[in-house]
Amino acid sequence: GSAVGKLVQEALSGPRAQAFREAQIQAIRLLAPLEQEESLKVGEEPRSLLASYYPLLDADGAVSGVCYQALDITQRKKAEAALLAATSAQLAAEGMARTKSGFLANMSHEIRTPMNAIIGLTHLIRRDATEERQRQQLDKVSGAAMHLLAVINDILDFSKIEAGKMTLDPTDFELETVVSNVFTITGDKAEAKGLEVMAELSSVPPRLHGDGVRLGQILTNFMGNAVKFTERGSVALRASVTHRDGDVVMLRFEVRDTGIGLTAEQQAKLFTAFQQADVSTTRTHGGTGLGLAISRRLADLMGGKVGVRSEPAKGSTFWFEAPFGVSTHATPAQRHDLPLPPRTRVLVVDDMEEARELLADMLTHMGARADAVDSGARALAAVAQADATGDPYELILTDWLMPGMNGTQMWQKICALPLQHRPQCILVSGSLSCPADEVHAGPFAAFLPKPVLPRLLQETVARAWNELRAPGKVPDAPPPAPKFVPGMHLLLAEDNALNQEVACELLRGMGFTVDVVDDGLAAVAQASVRHYDLILMDIQMPRLDGLQAARQVRALPGHARTPIVAMTANAFAEDRAAALEAGMNDHLAKPVDPDQLARVLARLLPRAAHSGLHSSMPSPAPSPELLADPGGLLAQLETVEGLDVEQGLRSVGGNLASLARLLYRISVQHRLDAQQALALLQGGSIADAQRVLHTIKGLAGTAGLHPLQTLAQQAEAAVHAWQTQPEADTSGPLLRVDAALAQLARALAFLSPDKPAAGPALDAAGLRRSLENLRALVASDDIDAATAYADMQAAVEQRFAQEAQALEKAIDDFDFVGALAVVDRLLTQLPPADTDEPPLPA
């Protein structure tokens, strides 16, 4: 072409002639073709050529000339340049993403570290603050710090997604468990606003395969936003199957609220990083807008999509669709049948239309005939009419807080009606602060928290129905607890010393011999060296939990059929199912009711029980000795706010001194534990923090401290949820537990050993007799050693200060071997029994 011609002309006479000749010479020297790129201009246009030089040989092999060829490669060079520029830009973008991710992660660490110190120090200062205004200011500091940490968590999550480091972890999971955790996280704020929270999951397979953690994160973001932007009304979570192909289902989750709503322009800005509906949203409600952006990215990872439908002032519906597998371990049945006769008639009472319709539909889906009314007055009329027509209601589920007549008042009025057939009644409430005395005031058969989920509904109805001995009549008094033949040998695995003491007193009072270990590994080791008639196993223990320990015990020779009973503060249906799946025979929730414990032991140890005899356990009613207590201990305990003395006495077999010791040690020892829980959580020791709160929950229930038990349960749930939702508030529940324990310590100040009551003086001979009696108790591993030592502790401390401390610790830790050694040392330092010595000072 013209370019080639131009090149030849330049080669012959122009400035490129020298380069042209050198290329020819090199081709001749090599006796091989030579290729090289050359550039020139044709007019004003730059061109690129691929030039080839071929040496020509004659018949004798001598070089006779050079053949020159040129190919115009201008367009190819332009394409290569464009590709190189694009690759460089991509590498630069990836480098920028890595830099941003590293920067955000480093900034997150740099902010978290001082913020943890701020939160911890604020808590310590608040604990000692005396002025209410100071406490309020410190609460604001703590709240602001937790809010900032939540923002940092969102930024870090978004950074992981942007950098491609966020991966899915598909496993089998229970949908109700995920939804329950979501409501646990968002429930406090919904209750504070008085919002009705509902859930409908009945049409979805209960057990799925997928990333349940990320599903929970998306639903928590949706629920959190719905609660944030709704001042009155309701928030509802619905799940449904939109398509099914074999073992894969396309699920749609919708969170609908009655909040402020969104315009079309505002909706267009959603699901975009660092964007909110408008600037005023940040000023009014707070937040970064990252939650929805993260939800969209997570949905993309899961092969799904998110969206929103909304109108201003008419609320919003945020939705999420994604495919999930149906777990291969799921049961074929999709519905939870109620443990009631077919077509049992049930009445739902709730002033909110959607809430009562959801519950009635759920009951109908479970096989009941469900009717619904919107007030207590209509419920009274419906119950009376049904009874008069001979088609009475067997069960009523009533909301607690209703206008005009609340659930408690309604049920009390129904109980006063001249009915031929009286139904059972379950109290339903979305209020986490529903007091326990409301449940007992009815008395209601059970309490059911909102939002009502299918499995919990089934479990609650089953419990209420099984307790109904004669439908339509006042239930008969329960049969007397059985009495046991002495000699049966039990093993108790429990990591908390106070729980050990309570359980041992009950079991030994029934006539059992009890060995005690404080963790799962020790339980397996103990069971491997001897046979036990029955094993009582706590679930949450260090080193090896109760479920794993039960499985290992089952594999030991001779223990394939040994009865194993779980005793744990985890009282939910899934906890019982997990215990049974691990090979346990039964499940007892703490606080353990002595009569229920006796009935379970009698069923599992029939050859040791005498049926029809009076219970061997002391009555919870005060004994004459307690009524004659000169210090008025019983009267003082009854003034402690939040303490159910009757429940506490029942848990310790009626022993007032044991209850007093238990209460005091909870208020002192476990307040220190509660203060450490926040530090443990901030240090990453989630399991240790959960164990502390789990122990406080169980002990509070045992002692009859129901408000403290509820607070500890909420804090434990918050810590558990924090593992998957780091933005969840955990300091608030922990601080409430600590405040409750501080209040309890002040209320129990009269129990303080710093103000001991004056007791009779003990001379050396009296002290020797007391120590010899203590030695006999310690040598036989008798739990009464603790009571005996408490009566003589002051005298021992006056004469043997150092040994007294070691002896107290050994007895408190149930280290009877160590206690025996200390007692023997003390006895060698006392004069013989026939030696006179002045009395010790009181």
Side-chain angles (χ1 to χ4, degrees):
S2 60
V4 175
K6 177 71 172 178
L7 177 61
V8 173
Q9 292 177 6
E10 289 186 2
L12 294 175
S13 59
R16 297 178 57 84
Q18 182 63 32
F20 186 82
R21 283 192 295 271
E22 289 177 357
Q24 287 179 319
I25 294 171
Q26 185 176 0
I28 293 171
R29 184 181 298 117
L30 294 173
L31 291 178
L34 174 66
E35 287 187 352
Q36 62 184 24
E37 292 185 9
E38 298 176 349
S39 301
L40 73 159
K41 284 187 177 182
V42 179
E44 296 299 323
E45 182 183 0
R47 310 289 292 187
S48 296
L49 300 176
L50 179 61
S52 302
Y53 299 85
Y54 300 94
L56 300 175
L57 304 179
D58 59 18
D60 297 329
V63 177
S64 61
V66 175
C67 177
Y68 172 79
Q69 291 181 347
L71 177 66
D72 189 344
I73 59 171
T74 303
Q75 295 303 318
R76 190 177 79 181
K77 296 296 290 183
K78 289 181 178 180
E80 289 176 354
L83 180 60
L84 179 62
T87 303
S88 300
Q90 181 179 357
L91 292 175
E94 291 176 353
M96 181 63 70
R98 287 192 296 270
T99 301
K100 181 175 69 172
S101 177
F103 173 76
L104 290 176
N106 183 63
M107 287 302 297
S108 173
H109 171 76
E110 292 298 323
I111 295 176
R112 282 172 181 267
T113 302
M115 288 309 301
N116 284 337
I118 291 171
I119 293 171
L121 292 174
T122 301
H123 167 65
L124 295 177
I125 297 172
R126 187 190 185 284
R127 185 187 64 192
D128 299 327
T130 57
E131 295 183 9
E132 182 61 27
R133 185 169 180 272
Q134 291 177 337
R135 289 176 177 269
Q136 293 175 356
Q137 292 172 334
L138 291 170
D139 285 341
K140 292 180 180 179
V141 173
S142 180
M146 294 306 298
H147 175 73
L148 181 56
L149 281 181
V151 173
I152 295 302
N153 287 330
D154 276 349
I155 294 175
L156 189 59
D157 260 358
F158 187 78
S159 173
K160 288 180 180 178
I161 296 173
E162 287 285 282
K165 295 181 180 180
M166 181 73 76
T167 58
L168 299 179
D169 182 20
T171 58
D172 287 355
F173 66 92
E174 297 281 349
L175 179 59
E176 283 194 29
T177 302
V178 172
V179 173
S180 179
N181 289 338
V182 171
F183 286 129
T184 298
I185 296 170
T186 58
D188 283 342
K189 293 180 179 178
E191 182 188 1
K193 289 186 169 185
L195 301 178
E196 184 83 15
V197 181
M198 295 163 284
E200 184 179 5
L201 312 175
S202 56
S203 62
V204 178
R207 191 169 179 85
L208 301 168
H209 184 80
D211 196 327
V213 173
R214 298 305 173 191
L215 170 62
Q217 188 171 355
I218 293 173
L219 296 181
T220 300
N221 281 330
F222 285 2
M223 285 292 300
N225 275 345
V227 172
K228 181 193 297 185
F229 297 111
T230 304
E231 296 303 322
R232 63 181 62 86
S234 64
V235 176
L237 168 62
R238 297 175 184 269
S240 59
V241 177
T242 61
H243 178 71
R244 180 160 189 161
D245 184 7
D247 290 335
V248 177
V249 291
M250 180 64 72
L251 298 186
R252 182 180 178 91
F253 297 89
E254 293 186 348
V255 174
R256 184 178 57 78
D257 63 62
T258 57
I260 60 177
L262 297 162
T263 65
E265 181 182 358
Q266 290 170 336
Q267 293 177 49
K269 297 180 180 180
L270 297 178
F271 303 109
T272 303
F274 306 102
Q275 289 282 339
Q276 286 196 321
D278 55 41
V279 177
S280 64
T281 302
T282 301
R283 293 196 298 266
T284 305
H285 300 280
T288 62
L290 271 181
L292 293 179
I294 292 172
S295 297
R296 182 176 66 82
R297 302 299 178 90
L298 291 176
D300 292 341
L301 284 174
M302 299 169 73
K305 53 187 179 180
V306 294
V308 62
R309 301 190 312 271
S310 183
E311 292 183 40
K314 293 185 178 180
S316 304
T317 299
F318 284 82
W319 57 266
F320 160 60
E321 286 186 355
F324 290 88
V326 178
S327 171
T328 56
H329 301 291
T331 56
Q334 295 292 318
R335 78 185 222 177
H336 302 266
D337 290 329
L338 289 174
L340 306 174
R343 305 289 293 163
T344 297
R345 198 171 186 193
V346 180
L347 179 65
V348 176
V349 188
D350 198 311
D351 60 303
M352 178 161 286
E353 180 181 4
E354 188 172 10
R356 65 176 178 270
E357 288 182 354
L358 277 175
L359 184 52
D361 288 345
M362 199 179 302
L363 291 165
T364 301
H365 185 74
M366 293 179 176
R369 282 188 298 151
D371 299 325
V373 294
D374 62 0
S375 68
R378 286 191 169 90
L380 287 170
V383 169
Q385 182 179 5
D387 187 75
T389 58
D391 187 17
Y393 290 106
E394 298 285 356
L395 185 65
I396 300 173
L397 290 93
T398 180
D399 189 22
W400 176 37
L401 297 176
M402 296 185 294
M405 184 188 306
N406 67 29
T408 303
Q409 296 165 338
M410 181 210 75
W411 176 235
Q412 290 172 344
K413 289 181 179 295
I414 290 177
C415 290
L417 293 175
L419 301 175
Q420 298 180 14
H421 185 97
R422 180 178 298 170
Q424 288 280 80
C425 190
I426 296 175
L427 183 64
V428 185
S429 177
S431 174
L432 299 177
S433 59
C434 178
D437 53 8
E438 284 291 336
V439 179
H440 298 298
F444 293 97
F447 173 74
L448 184 62
K450 288 183 178 181
V452 179
L453 300 176
R455 185 172 57 191
L456 183 58
L457 172 62
Q458 183 194 33
E459 292 286 338
T460 304
V461 172
R463 185 166 62 251
W465 188 260
N466 291 337
E467 291 176 359
L468 183 62
R469 297 179 53 84
K473 300 178 182 179
V474 176
D476 298 333
K483 187 175 182 179
F484 296 90
V485 176
M488 304 296 284
H489 205 153
L490 309 187
L491 175 64
L492 171 65
E494 166 64 62
D495 64 309
N496 182 266
L498 295 183
N499 283 331
Q500 290 175 355
E501 180 178 341
V502 171
C504 284
E505 286 189 5
L506 290 175
L507 294 169
R508 288 171 178 158
M510 297 179 191
F512 293 105
T513 301
V514 184
D515 289 345
V516 180
V517 293
D518 56 9
D519 63 62
L521 282 179
V524 176
Q526 191 72 9
S528 67
V529 298
R530 68 158 302 148
H531 176 77
Y532 288 96
D533 296 295
L534 184 139
I535 299 174
L536 292 159
M537 188 83 72
D538 189 20
I539 297 298
Q540 289 194 6
M541 293 185 292
R543 299 206 296 169
L544 188 70
D545 66 40
L547 299 179
Q548 295 173 305
R551 294 186 179 98
Q552 294 188 21
V553 169
R554 277 281 176 257
L556 295 174
H559 282 292
R561 297 184 177 276
T562 300
I564 303 177
V565 179
M567 286 206 314
T568 174
N570 289 342
F572 296 107
E574 55 265 31
D575 302 311
R576 177 180 177 83
L580 298 179
E581 184 181 357
M584 298 186 179
N585 299 81
D586 212 327
H587 174 279
L588 289 171
K590 295 177 183 177
V592 176
D593 179 85
D595 288 339
Q596 184 182 9
L597 172 62
R599 287 192 289 271
V600 169
L601 295 179
R603 178 171 58 81
L604 297 176
L605 300 172
R607 61 190 178 90
H610 290 305
S611 59
L613 299 180
H614 295 293
S615 172
S616 62
M617 291 173 291
S619 166
S623 66
E625 178 183 355
L626 298 179
L627 293 174
D629 174 34
L633 177 58
L634 180 61
Q636 287 180 293
L637 288 178
E638 288 177 340
T639 65
V640 176
E641 184 178 357
L643 171 62
D644 184 344
V645 177
E646 182 179 353
Q647 168 64 41
L649 284 172
R650 184 174 180 81
S651 296
V652 296
N655 190 322
L656 185 62
S658 295
L659 176 60
R661 289 196 302 273
L662 176 64
L663 290 168
Y664 180 71
R665 290 173 67 180
I666 289 174
S667 66
V668 176
Q669 172 185 338
H670 289 284
R671 189 188 176 195
L672 297 176
D673 292 340
Q675 293 168 358
Q676 292 173 353
L678 183 59
L680 288 169
L681 181 64
Q682 294 169 349
S685 301
I686 298 173
D688 292 336
Q690 281 185 277
R691 187 176 296 114
V692 168
L693 295 167
H694 181 83
T695 298
I696 295 174
K697 177 180 69 175
L699 290 172
T702 298
L705 298 166
H706 300 306
L708 175 60
Q709 181 186 19
T710 300
L711 291 174
Q713 181 177 349
Q714 293 171 355
E716 184 185 14
V719 171
H720 177 74
W722 186 84
Q723 298 178 76
T724 56
Q725 300 294 335
E727 70 273 14
D729 176 25
T730 52
S731 65
L734 285 169
L735 292 174
R736 287 193 285 273
V737 172
D738 179 51
L741 285 166
Q743 181 180 356
L744 178 64
R746 291 191 293 271
L748 295 175
F750 60 87
L751 294 177
S752 173
D754 296 334
K755 302 176 182 179
L762 279 179
D763 57 16
L767 182 57
R768 170 175 281 279
R769 286 192 298 271
S770 296
L771 283 172
E772 288 173 345
N773 177 55
L774 177 63
R775 188 187 190 283
L777 295 172
V778 170
S780 60
D781 294 345
D782 196 324
I783 192 69
D784 288 339
T787 303
Y789 180 66
D791 294 337
M792 59 186 296
Q793 183 173 357
V796 175
E797 289 175 343
Q798 290 170 16
R799 183 180 284 264
F800 308 107
Q802 293 182 346
E803 285 88 348
Q805 186 176 3
L807 181 57
E808 180 185 13
K809 184 178 188 305
I811 291 177
D812 284 347
D813 293 342
F814 297 92
D815 178 12
F816 292 123
V817 174
L820 182 62
V822 176
V823 171
D824 285 342
R825 287 201 303 271
L826 298 183
L827 287 172
T828 62
Q829 300 177 52
L830 287 171
D834 57 355
T835 301
D836 294 330
E837 186 174 298
L840 293 170

